Amino acid sequence: MRIMDLLTDAREEPVSDLDPDVGLSRAARVRVLLAAALGPLVTGYAAVATALTLVALTADRTVFSGTGVLLAAAPGWLAAHQVQLGFGGHPLGVLPLLPTLGAALLAARTAAGAAQRLGCRSVREALPVLLTITGAHAGFGLAIALGTRGSAVSANPLAAFAVPGLLAAVAASAGLTRSCGLPDFVADRLDPLALRGLRAGALGFAVLVACGAVVFTVATAVSWATVSDIYEPAFGASFGLFLLSVLYLPNAVAAALSFVTGPGFSIGDLNVGMFGYRGGAVPGVPLLGGLPEHHAAWWPALLVLPAAAGALVGWSLRKVDADPAQRIRAVAVAGAVVALGCVLLGTLAGGRLGDGPFDPVSVPVGVASVVAFCWIVIPGSFVAFFTGEHEPPAPPPEALEDNEAFEDADEVDVEEAAEAIEELESSEENEPDEEPGEDASLSRESDADEEAELSRESDAEPDEAVTRGTETCGDVEPDETDR
């Protein structure tokens, strides 16, 4: 039983709780960092070489060469990391986004795994992992650019050094967030209302991307006859076109997103917008089979999709604060996040396409970002304002201080008045009783004198009346009395 307990404890102990200086030796840490540096490079290079091998094996009238595939995989690795290539002096900047997403995901998972094995619990402890992965990608890109100088496919050494390093740094930072507590580190230093706005902005951007994907899928399905005609009868050529369309699928979704929000996109002379259309030649790729041939009057009805995305953002922020102004501020933060996402996606989706009639492929990044911001902020603010609580805004701190001082002054005045009344009552109660007694006795004596005088006057009046009567009768003569 003791052995089973020890084994159970060993299994349940998380690797991230180990002290990196005690749990792993210096040699073990070096091996982990070396694996983190070389793992994404080898895996990404092998994926590019595998795709080129499939294309070479299925293509008609081609001779397969392992050495040629390995050499061609080097520029392909740069293209997967969004490094512009040159084919005999003709630039190729429209690079597929699907391999870029795969490379970023690979770097993120590698960084997270290395941090877990090293027991990193903070951003400072994970800094060697971040620097190792970033430096490995930047150095490998520079080595490829220097090695391909003078060949048919080349790249700028500075771009080959900076772009893969930057991409790896961003992806590795995203992978280290959970293992090193970076979200808590950011949340503690960020306004909670702004944090909710960031989350709502990510939701709104995901909804807009989903709207673009739906519009692209429906357009392709409606034009499936045109799409199927682009494929060639030979399996090798059809497989190559299919693989090319899959790799550029995120680019098409980004263009559809710009179309749904209003600005649209352009391929050479072709310009497709919500309120305008200019025709032009397009490459013969099944991915572009759903492009319209003319403007349709019902296209503006699609604007309900970005409006619904903005309303959804506002609905998600309706309870963040009782003050409507604060809710609108959170919606503005979400709109800024969506605008930044549109800038990044539109920049990566377009670029140079040789020097022919299809050059360049572009999305109006500036206009698209401003329009996307408005689609989030205007409907979102309306929904957040009218569906949330409505309470009067809190007074400024100066007004609160004045109010508190006024209340304190009132309380002091009332207390002083009460104390004064109590003192007055107590003083009246404590006065001597002699003076009130003397006043009462004097009043009683005066009342008694007045009553005595009145009684004497009443007694004297009948006697005086009788006397006056007798005197009168004595003066009258007898005869007159008899009569």
Side-chain angles (χ1 to χ4, degrees):
M1 295 297 294
R2 180 63 178 171
I3 297 176
M4 293 300 296
D5 293 339
L6 292 175
L7 293 176
T8 304
D9 294 340
R11 286 196 304 268
E12 293 180 353
E13 184 178 7
V15 179
S16 59
D17 292 339
L18 296 176
D19 190 355
D21 295 332
V22 176
L24 292 176
S25 62
R26 184 179 297 273
R29 290 176 61 82
V30 170
R31 287 196 298 269
V32 171
L33 293 177
L34 186 61
L38 298 179
L41 303 182
V42 175
T43 305
Y45 198 92
V48 174
T50 301
L52 294 178
T53 300
L54 292 176
V55 173
L57 290 176
T58 56
D60 298 332
R61 298 183 299 273
T62 58
V63 178
F64 176 76
S65 173
T67 304
V69 169
L70 292 177
L71 293 177
W77 187 90
L78 291 178
H81 289 77
Q82 294 296 311
V83 179
Q84 179 175 309
L85 302 177
F87 289 84
H90 301 286
L92 176 62
V94 186
L95 302 172
L97 281 177
L98 187 61
T100 305
L101 296 176
L105 180 61
L106 181 60
R109 295 193 62 179
T110 302
Q116 185 178 5
R117 286 191 295 270
L118 294 176
C120 299
R121 291 164 297 191
S122 64
V123 180
R124 189 172 185 177
E125 293 178 356
L127 189 59
V129 178
L130 178 63
L131 294 178
T132 299
I133 295 177
T134 302
H137 281 75
F140 191 61
L142 179 61
I144 292 176
L146 294 177
T148 56
R149 295 187 67 176
S151 61
V153 183
S154 61
N156 186 359
L158 181 59
F161 175 82
V163 176
L166 179 61
L167 179 64
V170 174
S173 300
L176 294 173
T177 53
R178 293 191 178 276
S179 59
C180 300
L182 189 58
D184 298 334
F185 176 81
V186 175
D188 294 339
R189 290 160 176 79
L190 194 64
D191 184 9
L193 199 65
L195 185 61
R196 291 294 301 273
L198 291 176
R199 295 175 180 174
L203 173 64
F205 183 70
V207 172
L208 286 180
V209 171
C211 292
V214 169
V215 171
F216 170 77
T217 303
V218 172
T220 304
V222 171
S223 306
W224 184 251
T226 305
V227 174
S228 60
D229 292 340
I230 298 176
Y231 285 102
E232 297 182 4
F235 175 76
S238 299
F239 179 77
L241 292 174
F242 173 76
L243 182 61
L244 185 65
S245 299
V246 170
L247 295 179
Y248 278 94
L249 186 60
N251 302 62
V253 172
L257 168 61
S258 180
F259 171 76
V260 169
T261 54
F265 59 92
S266 63
I267 303 175
D269 295 333
L270 176 68
N271 192 341
V272 181
M274 184 65 67
F275 301 98
Y277 181 88
R278 186 180 69 237
V282 295
V285 182
L287 184 70
L288 304 177
L291 288 176
E293 297 180 355
H294 54 81
H295 183 268
W298 59 268
W299 283 357
L302 296 175
L303 295 176
V304 70
L305 297 177
L312 179 62
V313 170
W315 180 262
S316 65
L317 296 175
R318 71 188 186 281
K319 296 182 179 180
V320 295
D321 198 278
D323 187 4
Q326 298 299 321
R327 295 198 296 270
I328 294 176
R329 186 166 70 89
V331 173
V333 173
V337 172
V338 173
L340 181 61
C342 291
V343 169
L344 181 62
L345 188 60
T347 302
L348 296 178
R352 298 293 305 276
L353 187 58
D355 297 321
F358 310 130
D359 180 49
V361 177
S362 63
V363 171
V365 176
V367 178
S369 61
V370 173
V371 171
F373 177 82
C374 295
W375 279 122
I376 296 298
V377 172
I378 296 176
S381 300
F382 184 85
V383 173
F385 182 86
F386 287 101
T387 60
E389 300 179 3
H390 288 77
E391 292 185 0
E398 295 79 4
L400 290 176
E401 293 177 358
D402 296 340
N403 191 15
E404 292 177 356
F406 181 74
E407 292 178 356
D408 295 339
D410 291 344
E411 292 178 358
V412 171
D413 295 340
V414 171
E415 292 178 357
E416 292 179 355
E419 292 177 358
I421 293 172
E422 291 179 357
E423 291 178 357
L424 182 60
E425 292 177 353
S426 61
S427 63
E428 292 178 353
E429 292 176 356
N430 296 329
E431 287 181 356
D433 298 335
E434 296 177 356
E435 295 179 357
E438 293 177 355
D439 296 339
S441 61
L442 292 175
S443 63
R444 285 195 297 270
E445 290 178 358
S446 61
D447 294 340
D449 295 339
E450 292 178 357
E451 291 177 357
E453 292 178 357
L454 292 174
S455 62
R456 285 194 298 270
E457 291 178 355
S458 61
D459 294 340
E461 285 178 355
D463 296 339
E464 292 177 355
V466 172
T467 305
R468 288 192 298 271
T470 55
E471 291 177 353
T472 305
C473 292
D475 294 340
V476 176
E477 295 180 355
D479 294 337
E480 293 178 355
T481 306
D482 292 337
R483 287 194 297 269

